[in-house]
Amino acid sequence: MDVQRFVSENAPEESTETFELENSKLLDIDVDGSVMTKAGAMVAYDGDLTFTGTSNAEGGLTGFIKQKATGEGSPVMEVEGNGHLYVADQGKRIQLLQLESGESISVNGPDVLAWEDGVDYEIKTVGSIGGAAAGGLTNVFLTGPGMVAITTHGDPLVLSPPVNTDPQATVAWSSDLSPSISRNRSLGDAIGTSSDETYQMSFEGSSGFVVVQPYEEAPGEE
């Protein structure tokens, strides 16, 4: 491939959308005002943009994910101005979701990439998981209207309840579900874990959805 063709085939595509995927792992955000993104996700930008953020989630600045009991946090940054912001997260695939007014989704903190300024959010700790994740899962509850971007290792699988999932492979779920977390000693025996037990998330009900990925994130991994 000659240089000119390489440049033309990989240049950003023009779009009228605020959130536009340049490819499955790179998101182009057309900023006109403000947007929230995961700290450290910026790979490039053009235009007149300013970035504000903090590594201290308890610092009082609006829009930052609270630290987990383990001390691991998922800080985000506010981007303001006019221009194009390009974000990615460790080569993970990006999933775009349009939330209607009042529609909500709960997302594992490290799997949140960006959301539009009009999206409301709340931080909650889900359940109590043993071992290194004794503090539970730190989830972000996002409520529309607006676009949100989440990330997955590989292509996601969306399941309907009732279903049981591995907490480290669970990415998100519809907010009308409230999972319980329990130990399953027999499952631990089956997979040969050193503790002879493992933890699972149980989603009950006849509506909603659960998003899992073909990858188990270690505690503290983003």
Side-chain angles (χ1 to χ4, degrees), residues 3-221:
V3 173
Q4 189 58 44
R5 181 180 174 189
F6 173 80
V7 171
S8 63
E9 290 190 0
N10 292 283
E13 296 186 4
E14 295 294 331
S15 173
T16 59
E17 301 294 331
T18 302
F19 281 27
E20 177 73 18
L21 286 176
E22 294 297 340
N23 57 56
S24 64
K25 301 175 182 179
L26 184 62
L27 175 63
D28 175 358
I29 304 177
D30 185 1
V31 182
D32 183 13
S34 65
V35 66
M36 306 301 297
T37 72
K38 182 176 183 177
M42 185 274 290
V43 297
Y45 72 92
D46 61 35
D48 183 14
L49 299 179
T50 59
F51 303 81
T52 55
T54 178
S55 61
N56 180 3
E58 299 299 333
L61 184 61
T62 300
F64 292 89
I65 299 173
K66 293 181 179 178
Q67 289 178 316
K68 300 178 183 179
T70 59
E72 296 291 335
S74 297
V76 299
M77 60 186 176
E78 183 176 15
V79 184
E80 298 176 284
N82 290 275
H84 283 265
L85 172 68
Y86 302 94
V87 294
D89 186 11
Q90 305 297 319
K92 294 168 67 176
R93 289 184 176 272
I94 300 172
Q95 318 295 334
L96 297 183
L97 303 174
Q98 176 67 53
L99 298 179
E100 302 301 329
S101 180
E103 188 175 20
S104 300
I105 186 172
S106 174
V107 185
N108 184 23
D111 299 322
V112 176
L113 181 63
W115 66 87
E116 288 186 293
D117 183 55
V119 175
D120 292 328
Y121 71 97
E122 183 179 3
I123 312 304
K124 295 182 181 179
T125 299
V126 181
S128 179
I129 303 176
L137 299 174
T138 301
N139 267 41
V140 185
F141 288 74
L142 301 166
T143 303
M147 185 73 75
V148 303
I150 66 176
T151 58
T152 59
H153 289 276
D155 293 327
L157 177 67
V158 180
L159 302 169
S160 299
V163 65
N164 298 316
T165 66
D166 182 333
Q168 294 177 355
T170 306
V171 175
W173 59 86
S174 54
S175 62
D176 55 340
L177 296 177
S178 181
S180 60
I181 299 177
S182 60
R183 298 176 179 177
N184 189 324
R185 188 176 297 274
S186 62
L187 182 58
D189 291 338
I191 62 177
T193 58
S194 59
S195 63
D196 291 327
E197 64 187 17
T198 190
Y199 293 84
Q200 65 183 30
M201 301 182 74
S202 297
F203 296 87
E204 303 294 338
S206 57
S207 63
F209 61 87
V210 183
V211 181
V212 297
Q213 62 186 358
Y215 184 92
E216 295 182 8
E217 293 181 342
E221 182 180 354

